[in-house]
Amino acid sequence: MFKIGSIFIPVTDVKKSTEWYEKYLGVKKIDSWEDGVGFYLPTGSTQLALVKVESHQPTDFPIKDNQKNSYYNFVVDDIYTTHQHFKNNGIETTEINDFGGMKFFDFFDLDGNSFSVVNEVDGSPFHSDNVRKMQERD
């Protein structure tokens, strides 16, 4: 019945951010409007939109012990290549961490918005193949 349609990202400069997201995340422009622009990603159906804001808005929330959690993440096939791609291009990242076999790191866009990048773990109930099987059963 429901699925995620779009993710909206607050940015202070739509033009510069558009160039950044196209270059480093490989997004493709769908259309633009007065204070924003919409994209699709090379894979998946979720769309991404940049929306102009006057000042920085958080894309994460505090959890415990001064740790933060992103509202959403990007799934990649090769987390090491993705991490190196960002590092080679001077994009701020955290180190790759491991949580029960799932590898992840955070990166930051021009506005300091934080996003997580994760790899899928075979056998995990959260792996897209396993989720698809659950969806087919329902």
Side-chain angles (χ1 to χ4, degrees):
M1 181 173 175
F2 290 98
K3 68 179 182 177
I4 302 296
S6 297
I7 294 171
F8 296 91
I9 299 171
V11 297
T12 55
D13 188 320
V14 173
K15 185 177 186 297
K16 284 183 183 176
S17 292
T18 292
E19 293 168 0
W20 191 91
Y21 277 81
E22 288 174 332
K23 182 174 182 178
Y24 299 117
L25 270 63
V27 299
K28 305 292 183 192
K29 185 175 174 182
I30 299 170
D31 200 5
S32 61
W33 58 94
E34 184 177 341
D35 289 325
V37 60
F39 302 100
Y40 65 90
L41 295 161
T43 59
S45 63
T46 303
Q47 298 171 23
L48 184 127
L50 304 178
V51 179
K52 178 157 180 36
V53 294
E54 294 303 316
S55 61
H56 174 73
Q57 303 295 314
T59 55
D60 56 22
F61 55 93
I63 48 177
K64 64 178 183 175
D65 300 328
N66 293 324
Q67 294 179 350
K68 292 185 177 184
N69 199 95
S70 297
Y71 282 104
Y72 39 81
N73 58 33
F74 294 95
V75 176
V76 296
D77 293 328
D78 185 341
I79 197 157
Y80 297 102
T81 299
T82 304
H83 189 259
Q84 195 60 50
H85 162 71
F86 287 148
K87 297 293 266 184
N88 289 346
N89 286 288
I91 297 168
E92 181 184 356
T93 69
T94 62
E95 293 303 314
I96 296 174
N97 294 293
D98 187 299
F99 181 76
M102 179 186 72
K103 307 261 188 302
F104 67 95
F105 70 90
D106 293 341
F107 72 93
F108 303 86
D109 73 2
L110 296 174
D111 282 281
N113 292 319
S114 67
F115 304 99
S116 289
V117 176
V118 301
N119 70 318
E120 293 190 303
V121 178
D122 289 333
S124 165
F126 296 98
H127 191 285
S128 59
D129 292 342
N130 291 327
V131 171
R132 207 171 359 266
K133 288 176 187 173
M134 287 186 272
Q135 290 169 325
E136 290 168 359
R137 284 194 311 250
D138 288 340

